[in-house]
Amino acid sequence: MAQPPAASDSGASDTPAPAEAVKKASKAGRNLPAAIGVALLLGAAIIVSLLTVRYLMIGIIAIAIAVGTFEFAGVLRRVADIRVAMIPVLVGGQAMIWLAWPFGREGALTAFVLTVLACLLWRLPGGAKGYLRDISASTFAAAYLPLFAAFAAMLVPPEDGVGRVLTFLIGVVASDTGGYIAGVLGGKHPMAPTISPKKTWEGFAGSLIGGVVAGALTLSLMLDGHVWQGVIFGVAIVLTATLGDLVESLIKRDLGVKDMGTLLPGHGGIMDRLDSLLPSAVVSWLLLSAFVPV
């Protein structure tokens, strides 16, 4: 699930930065060499899993979602004193992903409903204070992370699962990369200044170009689809990836944090890399199921 380094706000400092730090810093305010290195390692792990035993990809998804859930719940508790029902969300989240393998949508949705019920019961001993707040956060965490990710897991089982997963991932990466390059080189007109000041319309145009080209090539070459289907797929992925990025930015602004974690140098946390992938996984499964039926 490797992606290019995300743009973020950078603050001023009264202390001059060391020369080495200045060289490493990108216009996006990140340690670019570290970000690229982490992205390459993540990408290599995904490629190896897909080209050897592709079902290992489901394990990678499951691990990423478990770590992301810890990060998200930790930030909510630390910053806003919101307590996610960790055990039900973690266990239920794994059930959503792994049951999506043999049972598809029915397995994932059944596990989600049971997870919500378990959260309602789990929180009862804590009393009335903050009950609705905590249950709402737990339900959101269960839907936003493992339920969305289950659609990525459902791309793996078909015989052409490797092509489906790569079409999805390449589309998101091309969208993010095109947007990053266009935004850094020529971004002047903010797209959503109150949510993500460094996201520009020029960057969005770069995302569209990258996503459409990637969609047309991957869907036609890897899945024997039509070029026009790939164009529609590319546009849809750009829209969902951008939406996911904006939603994540809005959540972080609401919580008053820059990153959801520190696990990935140059990127932040796992959650900071899943933002555009999660909603795009749902749309990828829906469109690929329609364009290239199993």
Side-chain angles (χ1 to χ4, degrees):
M1 298 182 179
Q3 300 177 51
S8 64
D9 299 324
S10 56
S13 173
D14 294 332
T15 304
E20 184 179 354
V22 172
K23 290 179 182 179
K24 288 185 178 180
S26 70
K27 283 187 177 182
R30 299 280 184 179
N31 185 331
L32 192 56
I36 293 174
V38 169
L40 290 175
L41 286 175
L42 293 175
I46 291 169
I47 295 299
V48 169
S49 70
L50 290 174
L51 297 182
T52 53
V53 181
R54 73 176 187 274
Y55 290 103
L56 290 174
M57 184 64 192
I58 298 178
I60 293 176
I61 294 170
I63 292 171
I65 292 303
V67 175
T69 301
F70 270 112
E71 287 182 348
F72 186 54
V75 170
L76 289 179
R77 183 165 185 171
R78 184 172 64 254
V79 173
D81 196 30
I82 297 174
R83 299 172 185 267
V84 171
M86 281 297 297
I87 300 300
V89 173
L90 281 174
V91 174
Q94 293 302 300
M96 290 179 224
I97 294 168
W98 290 105
L99 290 178
W101 175 0
F103 301 115
R105 285 174 300 177
E106 291 78 7
L109 290 174
T110 300
F112 172 69
V113 171
L114 292 176
T115 299
V116 174
L117 289 174
C119 290
L120 293 173
L121 293 172
W122 188 270
R123 181 57 180 76
L124 279 178
K129 185 177 181 180
Y131 181 82
L132 181 60
R133 175 199 63 191
D134 294 346
I135 290 301
S136 298
S138 299
T139 303
F140 175 76
Y144 183 57
L145 284 150
L147 184 59
F148 281 16
F151 285 86
M154 285 191 283
L155 294 172
V156 178
E159 290 186 7
D160 59 354
V162 172
R164 290 174 185 268
V165 173
L166 288 177
T167 297
F168 154 55
L169 292 177
I170 290 172
V172 176
V173 171
S175 171
D176 284 358
T177 303
Y180 176 76
I181 294 173
V184 168
L185 294 180
K188 295 180 180 178
H189 300 88
M191 186 178 184
T194 61
I195 301 174
S196 183
K198 291 202 172 185
K199 185 171 289 297
T200 63
W201 286 109
E202 290 83 0
F204 182 70
S207 292
L208 274 176
I209 294 172
V212 166
V213 170
L217 291 175
T218 55
L219 206 142
S220 60
L221 297 177
M222 292 184 180
L223 298 175
D224 295 324
H226 300 289
V227 171
W228 66 266
Q229 293 173 328
V231 171
I232 293 175
F233 179 83
V235 171
I237 289 300
V238 170
L239 292 176
T240 53
T242 302
L243 174 64
D245 187 39
L246 290 174
V247 167
E248 179 83 0
S249 295
L250 200 56
I251 291 172
K252 289 190 288 189
R253 283 191 174 275
D254 185 28
L255 294 174
V257 297
K258 179 181 178 182
D259 294 318
M260 287 291 188
T262 58
L263 183 62
L264 305 176
H267 291 267
I270 289 288
M271 279 290 295
D272 298 293
R273 296 297 82 216
L274 293 175
D275 52 7
S276 53
L277 288 164
L278 290 169
S280 297
V282 179
V283 171
S284 292
W285 184 85
L286 291 170
L287 288 179
L288 293 180
S289 296
F291 292 157
V292 193
V294 177

